[in-house]
Amino acid sequence: MSSIFISIGLLICSNVFMTFAWYAHLKELNHKHWLLAALLSWGVALFEYLFQVPANRIGYTALNVGQLKIMQEAIALSVFVPFSVYYLKEPLKLDYLWAGLCLLGAIYFMFRSKLA
């Protein structure tokens, strides 16, 4: 399997943990002290890093750091939107589409040398 696809899979896993670490406490721990929420979030974030570090190391064998970053941002938005809609019950906004289109432009510019 291509190192790029392995990196994408690991970054998806990483972003699921990252999204929960950063935002789940808003729903689940909003009545608890912020320090408890921070400590629990750090615990979840450990799993994020256990996926993110190998994802970047593997991805860096085929991509440059700018390409890795843009890929991570696109994956982050792809994970965040369903999380916010289904888990946090936030309304689906057209702004997510516009942000996604901007990211597609960023992806194009970062990867255009590989496309030609």
Side-chain angles (χ1 to χ4, degrees):
M1 185 183 291
S2 166
S3 59
I4 295 172
F5 290 114
I6 293 169
S7 183
I8 289 170
L10 290 170
L11 284 173
I12 290 169
C13 294
S14 169
N15 274 275
V16 168
F17 282 106
M18 177 194 73
T19 302
F20 272 92
W22 284 23
Y23 301 106
H25 63 87
L26 298 175
K27 178 179 178 182
E28 303 300 332
L29 300 172
N30 62 348
H31 57 285
K32 302 287 185 186
H33 194 273
W34 72 266
L35 187 57
L36 176 64
L39 292 172
L40 290 172
S41 292
W42 283 348
V44 173
L46 170 65
F47 293 98
E48 170 202 351
Y49 280 93
L50 292 175
F51 286 101
Q52 177 267 328
V53 170
N56 283 335
R57 286 177 172 237
I58 292 167
Y60 193 60
T61 64
L63 302 171
N64 66 45
V65 73
Q67 291 168 330
L68 279 170
K69 181 58 180 171
I70 291 302
M71 188 170 73
Q72 190 281 328
E73 292 300 332
I75 291 168
L77 186 62
S78 299
V79 169
F80 176 77
V81 172
F83 173 86
S84 67
V85 171
Y86 294 112
Y87 186 78
L88 293 178
K89 307 295 186 214
E90 294 283 325
L92 181 61
K93 297 179 181 178
L94 200 54
D95 292 340
Y96 292 132
L97 173 65
W98 305 135
L101 290 174
C102 289
L103 273 173
L104 284 177
I107 291 166
Y108 169 76
F109 286 111
M110 291 305 294
F111 285 89
R112 68 182 167 169
S113 65
K114 289 198 176 286
L115 300 173

